[in-house]
Amino acid sequence: MNINSLITEWTYRLPKGYPDSESDYQELDRVLTEMTDLSETERMAIIRKAKGLSEQDEDESQDILDTNEELIRTTLNNIKLPTDIVTQVISIYSRLSNAEQLEFNKNFRKHDINSFVAKGWEAFKEFFFVNVVGSRGGMGNGEISILLGVKDSMPGGTAQHDIVLKDGEWEVKEFGKSGQKFDPASEGLASKFELTTKIQDFYKNIVNPIKDIGDPFQLLKHLVDPESADDLKKLIMILETRFESVIDPVMFAKLEWKKTAMHSWYEGFKELNTIFYKTNLDTNVKDTRLTVNAGGSQKSYWISDEDVEEIELSAGRDTAADVNVGDEVDNINSNVVIWFKRIERNEFVRNPQQFLFELNKVKNNFFNSILGLIWYNHQNPKPHIGLPNEFAIDTISQGKYRFTLKSASASQGYEYIQGQE
């Protein structure tokens, strides 16, 4: 088979019918290998001719290539990228077509963040997956692309955010396979935030004691207006269905709080608020008590609201308070009256929007620490700038609050997600 026939066979195999990238010339090498007994030197000579290069042209081209590679290598070493990452970048650069190398050179560390995200990233999309073999070295997909494209950018390492500029730092996140969400790393550590403790206390003081109280309805029904019996039953049902049954105690303790649970909590807080503040449920159940030290231990006794007022009026004065001390409160943590009042006084029950406020505090803690967020869809090299109001907290997993796009299909229909500012 003559050379012209081989070239025809080669172009027939190309997606566009003509060479457009370095991979197309690699296909020519495969055609020559399959259909001839030519040596590697002979095959390379044919490929050079197919590229339109004479021996002199190739020598000049190689000189330019070597100069550009050295400039790239020096620049990347100066910004303290690991040697193996620099090696990967040079290797990929050397495989680019002449046109692709020209685009790389024109855009190399010339952009600001906005121009990079708008179009500059296209010159560096082949570098999206650059990482350290066997270890990510603290760098995720897309970070190298940004460092190649953005002027004066530096890698953050472990002590800073991913991309460091003169005026601040940027975080880079890639969504996982499971959806449009990301892990904020230490910025989302659940143990750092008040919301985590407040929910844990709600379960400790309100949800978990239900097992010890017995039948709350039977114990409370004589303390409320008979006409409010149905509302009392509904209150107990809300606690059982919105809180007690929605999360396994083991998962709760491990800080594995799924979206279904957090959705149920917010809906439960709203429903409890309605029961206490928008119905005729008699909430005049009192839990006023007097606690005294007796023999080195504390004891508590029921007293009336009038007695509380008497104590307040007499405090700091010479006159004595005349108080009628009632029965001893035998178990403050599980006593049904105290338990009932704890529900009513809980801040999330008083104002369910406080739950969203606490979620916003977690989110803003992350965004306030950076100039901005650059995010990628899973294994997609096109970058996006993320604004705080586009994201929300939707779960806790592995002890960290997780961020999701509010516009994601999986986020629709969840008011506690959409309600975050």
Side-chain angles (χ1 to χ4, degrees):
M1 183 176 289
N2 61 37
I3 295 300
N4 289 336
S5 297
L6 290 169
I7 296 296
T8 300
E9 170 65 20
W10 166 52
T11 57
Y12 177 78
R13 294 188 185 187
L14 300 180
K16 295 184 178 180
Y18 59 87
D20 184 61
S21 67
E22 184 63 23
S23 62
D24 291 336
Y25 293 100
Q26 292 172 0
E27 181 61 32
L28 175 57
D29 186 45
R30 283 191 287 271
V31 170
L32 294 172
T33 301
E34 292 172 7
M35 298 186 172
T36 72
D37 295 321
L38 296 173
S39 68
E40 181 178 357
T41 301
E42 292 169 327
R43 294 198 310 273
M44 291 302 101
I46 293 173
I47 292 171
R48 284 196 297 272
K49 289 180 181 179
K51 290 182 176 181
L53 296 173
S54 67
E55 293 296 335
Q56 181 178 354
D57 291 336
E58 184 175 342
D59 289 342
E60 292 175 355
S61 176
Q62 188 62 48
D63 289 342
I64 295 172
L65 175 60
D66 290 344
T67 300
N68 287 336
E69 286 186 3
E70 188 58 35
L71 173 63
I72 294 167
R73 188 186 302 277
T74 300
T75 302
L76 299 187
N77 284 332
N78 286 342
I79 65 173
K80 296 179 171 50
L81 282 177
T83 301
D84 42 8
I85 286 184
V86 175
T87 300
Q88 288 184 68
V89 169
I90 297 300
S91 176
I92 295 172
Y93 177 84
S94 67
R95 297 196 299 269
L96 297 177
S97 68
N98 291 341
E100 289 170 331
Q101 288 184 357
L102 179 61
E103 282 301 302
F104 182 105
N105 298 340
K106 284 167 53 179
N107 289 275
F108 182 55
R109 293 180 67 79
K110 299 287 175 43
H111 292 275
D112 59 26
I113 291 292
N114 289 321
S115 65
F116 174 83
V117 170
K119 197 169 178 63
W121 66 273
E122 294 176 352
F124 308 102
K125 59 186 178 181
E126 299 298 327
F127 301 84
F128 178 74
F129 294 105
V130 170
N131 54 54
V132 180
V133 176
S135 170
R136 300 300 292 273
M139 306 185 77
N141 288 344
E143 291 182 40
I144 295 301
S145 303
I146 299 169
L147 291 168
L148 293 174
V150 176
K151 182 180 179 181
D152 297 327
S153 59
M154 298 281 290
T158 57
Q160 296 171 286
H161 289 280
D162 299 321
I163 304 296
V164 179
L165 300 177
K166 291 179 179 178
D167 56 346
E169 302 174 14
W170 287 73
E171 187 75 6
V172 181
K173 294 296 181 184
E174 180 189 15
F175 293 147
K177 293 180 181 179
S178 59
Q180 293 175 301
K181 62 173 60 182
F182 67 85
D183 171 5
S186 62
E187 298 289 344
L189 197 63
S191 59
K192 296 191 332 185
F193 297 99
E194 288 184 351
L195 176 58
T196 310
T197 303
K198 289 177 179 180
I199 294 295
Q200 289 170 329
D201 287 344
F202 186 86
Y203 268 76
K204 176 183 176 182
N205 297 322
I206 295 174
V207 179
N208 296 339
I210 293 176
K211 297 186 291 290
D212 301 321
I213 288 173
D215 186 340
F217 176 75
Q218 292 298 324
L219 293 170
L220 282 169
K221 66 179 182 179
H222 67 286
L223 298 175
V224 301
D225 191 306
E227 295 179 357
S228 297
D230 287 342
D231 290 327
L232 179 59
K233 288 180 181 178
K234 189 180 295 185
L235 180 150
I236 295 166
M237 182 188 69
I238 292 168
L239 289 171
E240 292 174 342
T241 59
R242 290 294 194 188
F243 296 95
E244 187 178 24
S245 64
V246 297
I247 187 167
D248 181 270
V250 175
M251 293 296 101
F252 184 83
K254 288 183 176 181
L255 294 178
E256 292 286 342
W257 299 355
K258 293 185 177 180
K259 182 163 54 179
T260 50
M262 297 186 79
H263 163 75
S264 188
W265 294 343
Y266 181 53
E267 296 302 310
F269 292 137
K270 291 191 295 181
E271 292 166 0
L272 289 173
N273 176 270
T274 297
I275 288 292
F276 276 107
Y277 300 104
K278 299 177 184 178
T279 72
N280 293 321
L281 178 66
D282 182 358
T283 57
N284 290 322
V285 177
K286 304 302 179 186
D287 72 338
T288 50
R289 56 198 185 275
L290 177 66
T291 301
V292 297
N293 285 318
S297 62
Q298 286 190 338
K299 291 188 177 182
S300 296
Y301 303 88
W302 295 117
I303 59 175
S304 68
D305 282 357
E306 291 77 11
D307 291 329
V308 173
E309 185 177 355
E310 179 74 16
I311 292 172
E312 290 175 343
L313 291 173
S314 301
R317 299 181 180 180
D318 293 335
T319 56
D322 187 11
V323 176
N324 294 315
V325 179
D327 294 336
E328 181 179 351
V329 182
D330 54 358
N331 189 331
I332 291 178
N333 287 326
S334 63
N335 182 277
V336 69
V337 177
I338 299 172
W339 173 79
F340 183 82
K341 300 302 289 187
R342 279 175 177 165
I343 305 171
E344 180 186 8
R345 292 169 177 165
N346 180 267
E347 64 178 300
F348 298 140
V349 175
R350 292 199 314 269
N351 179 15
Q353 293 302 306
Q354 188 68 18
F355 182 67
L356 302 187
F357 176 76
E358 293 290 343
L359 287 169
N360 282 326
K361 284 170 62 176
V362 177
K363 182 178 73 170
N364 291 334
N365 179 75
F366 171 75
F367 279 99
N368 290 342
S369 68
I370 55 178
L371 288 177
L373 168 70
I374 300 173
W375 61 267
Y376 297 92
N377 281 312
H378 182 61
Q379 297 189 348
N380 185 328
K382 177 178 174 56
H384 308 265
I385 292 179
L387 302 176
N389 62 5
E390 296 176 320
F391 289 87
I393 304 294
D394 71 334
T395 60
I396 293 181
S397 180
Q398 296 179 329
K400 299 172 191 170
Y401 286 94
R402 302 298 171 116
F403 287 66
T404 185
L405 266 181
K406 293 165 69 173
S407 61
S409 58
S411 299
Q412 305 310 304
Y414 292 92
E415 188 177 342
Y416 86 95
I417 293 177
Q418 300 302 325
Q420 294 176 49
E421 297 176 352

